[in-house]
Amino acid sequence: MAKSLDLDLGVLALAHLKNAAGDGRPALLGASVQDLESLAEALGEPRYRGRQLFTAIFNRRIADFAEMTDIPAGLRQTLATACELDRPHATTIVASVDGTRKYRFETPDGVAFESVYIPEVAKERHTHTLCVSSQSGCSLGCRFCFTASIKRYRNLTAAEIVGQVLAVQADVSRPEIDGKITNIVFMGMGEPLLNYDNVVRAAQLLTDPAGLDFSTRRVTISTAGIVPRIYDLGRDLTTQVAISLNASCDETRNRIMPINRKWPLSALIKALREYPLPRRRRFTIEYVMLGNVNDSLRDAEQLVRLLDGIPVKINLLPLNPHSRTEYVPPAPERVTAFQQALRGANVNAILRTPRGQDIAAACGQLGPAASQL
Ligand code: SAH
């Protein structure tokens, strides 16, 4: 058995690559080209090996050092001992009747998180979305969301976030499924902007042309409204942004999303108005409709006024029911009337059909084992 090399990640400025197993090996699924160049140097190798490794891991998506045949055998051996390349371990995969697949991952330190693969029903559109988690559990306590009821949580590392994409891609590319991830949304468990550094790092890796090469138009970061971090996001990334708005006045939003007491609608909307949105882009506004809470025509009119002048596309999501919410889904005729009111005011509003409801994979339904509640 080869001995671990005991790389001092702090000294190498690679502390952000610490793996979840806590054994000191850097998790390379979270590494940038520069990180891998430093690593190569630390191992006494030429710097260009770093770029070679980056291509092998993210572009060729090789999961085992032994298969990186353009890298000398000795170095492959060293890397296999000193570094971690593991993708998150899926303990359960469940498939919905509609083709949606939910993955439950468990980490060596005993937390769980989920990803949901959502293939487009109209196959010719070829839009197949992966919804990734940014935290195990969530601290925000939104009152309509199941994930909010999980007590234990921690931030996921960049490697764990990128690893969800690599693990699911490997699973769905099998001939029986013949799938391919085309879009990524940070809409799984957790609040991405409360795990800011790891989420930005993961998004950069996902959109790096030399690596996984997703277009920035096809990666969406969703937030419940961590306002200072929205300003940071505008400086750091050009990926798409989604805002979970869910209400058009502070009174209602305070009630259903406690985070609104810290950053009320005025601050959130100001951040959107000041956001350096790339040309021809819009924000996605998520609006979970709760029966008789935020689904009236007055709410719709208020929403139009609130968003006036901001380029948006609104996704209407009738509440997906679960056991841990006091709220109920809206009556179908109220949903139709709400949507028509928005459209009548020239606001693009799309009614989202829930996916994977039968396997508790729809929005707001993610949350692992009862033991973690
Ligand atoms: N914390 C981030 C990322 C999670 S996205 C955010 O809030 O944006 C999850 C989305 O599902 C959010 O838009 C949320 O409003 C929505 N959602 C939560 N619970 C839901 C439920 N029970 N039914 C439908 N949508 C829900």
Side-chain angles (χ1 to χ4, degrees):
M1 220 7 224
K3 215 176 133 284
S4 148
L5 289 179
D6 284 336
L7 292 169
D8 188 336
L9 296 180
V11 171
L12 295 177
L14 297 175
H16 56 281
L17 297 182
K18 283 207 169 91
N19 70 0
D23 61 14
R25 290 179 305 152
L28 298 196
L29 293 187
S32 64
V33 175
Q34 294 75 17
D35 292 338
L36 295 174
E37 287 172 345
S38 313
L39 182 71
E41 276 191 328
L43 296 173
E45 295 285 333
R47 278 178 79 78
Y48 72 83
R49 294 276 178 226
R51 184 164 287 277
Q52 243 178 339
L53 257 176
F54 187 84
T55 311
I57 297 170
F58 298 108
N59 195 273
R60 297 163 64 203
R61 303 179 183 185
I62 299 178
D64 186 347
F65 292 110
E67 289 167 31
M68 299 180 183
T69 46
D70 54 342
I71 292 176
L75 176 56
R76 280 186 261 154
Q77 273 273 311
T78 309
L79 288 167
T81 314
C83 304
E84 186 193 271
L85 197 54
D86 299 355
R87 296 169 177 180
H89 174 59
T91 51
T92 345
I93 304 176
V94 267
S96 159
V97 287
D98 70 13
T100 299
R101 296 170 74 77
K102 180 166 82 166
Y103 299 78
R104 173 190 161 83
F105 297 102
E106 284 179 20
T107 65
D109 62 329
V111 301
F113 53 94
E114 295 179 328
S115 304
V116 183
Y117 174 73
I118 311 154
E120 184 62 64
V121 192
K123 251 216 149 181
E124 62 279 10
R125 284 192 51 200
H126 292 305
T127 301
H128 306 310
T129 302
L130 182 69
C131 179
V132 296
S133 292
S134 56
Q135 300 180 308
S136 169
C138 187
S139 59
L140 291 184
C142 300
R143 303 190 60 99
F144 43 81
C145 181
F146 183 77
T147 308
S149 63
I150 299 165
K151 290 287 178 290
R152 284 179 53 200
Y153 67 92
R154 76 155 165 82
N155 284 338
L156 299 186
T157 63
E160 286 168 331
I161 299 172
V162 173
Q164 293 171 58
V165 176
L166 289 166
V168 173
Q169 180 57 47
D171 177 59
V172 300
S173 62
R174 291 178 297 128
E176 311 90 275
I177 298 174
D178 191 23
K180 180 180 167 45
I181 300 167
T182 62
N183 293 45
I184 296 167
V185 295
F186 285 69
M187 296 186 185
M189 294 166 67
E191 167 51 47
L193 299 193
L194 290 181
N195 183 14
Y196 189 80
D197 292 346
N198 290 326
V199 163
V200 167
R201 169 171 286 273
Q204 283 165 341
L205 289 172
L206 294 171
T207 55
D208 190 324
L212 283 154
D213 195 23
F214 284 90
S215 153
T216 54
R217 297 181 162 274
R218 291 177 176 271
V219 176
T220 303
I221 298 186
S222 185
T223 179
I226 312 299
V227 170
R229 292 309 206 178
I230 296 177
Y231 286 92
D232 292 341
L233 200 61
R235 280 186 286 270
D236 291 337
L237 292 179
T238 56
T239 46
Q240 294 281 114
V241 180
I243 305 290
S244 298
L245 197 62
N246 302 336
S248 54
C249 67
D250 281 324
E251 195 199 339
T252 307
R253 201 164 192 268
N254 283 342
R255 211 159 10 117
I256 63 178
M257 299 178 73
I259 193 71
N260 195 68
R261 295 184 204 136
K262 191 151 184 192
W263 291 292
L265 281 173
S266 54
L268 178 56
I269 297 298
K270 183 164 177 279
L272 299 190
R273 289 195 194 283
E274 294 174 2
Y275 198 86
L277 209 56
R279 264 164 51 83
R280 295 203 303 274
R281 297 273 189 102
R282 303 168 188 200
F283 294 105
T284 301
I285 302 291
E286 314 282 359
Y287 195 96
V288 180
M289 298 187 68
L290 311 173
N292 299 317
V293 173
N294 62 357
D295 61 346
S296 72
L297 285 178
R298 221 181 123 244
D299 291 306
E301 286 156 16
Q302 218 165 224
L303 185 59
V304 170
R305 276 202 301 279
L306 188 68
L307 297 174
D308 184 41
I310 304 176
V312 296
K313 174 187 95 177
I314 301 186
N315 282 340
L316 298 175
L317 308 144
L319 177 80
N320 292 314
H322 54 82
S323 58
R324 287 177 183 256
T325 182
E326 71 216 74
Y327 296 115
V328 294
E333 57 277 12
R334 285 174 79 94
V335 177
T336 312
F338 195 94
Q339 183 182 23
Q340 278 169 357
L342 296 180
R343 291 197 163 163
N346 275 322
V347 176
N348 183 352
I350 297 156
L351 178 60
R352 305 301 296 217
T353 326
R355 300 290 305 276
Q357 247 184 359
D358 56 334
I359 55 167
C363 301
Q365 293 187 322
L366 298 187
S371 61
Q372 293 213 335
L373 293 176

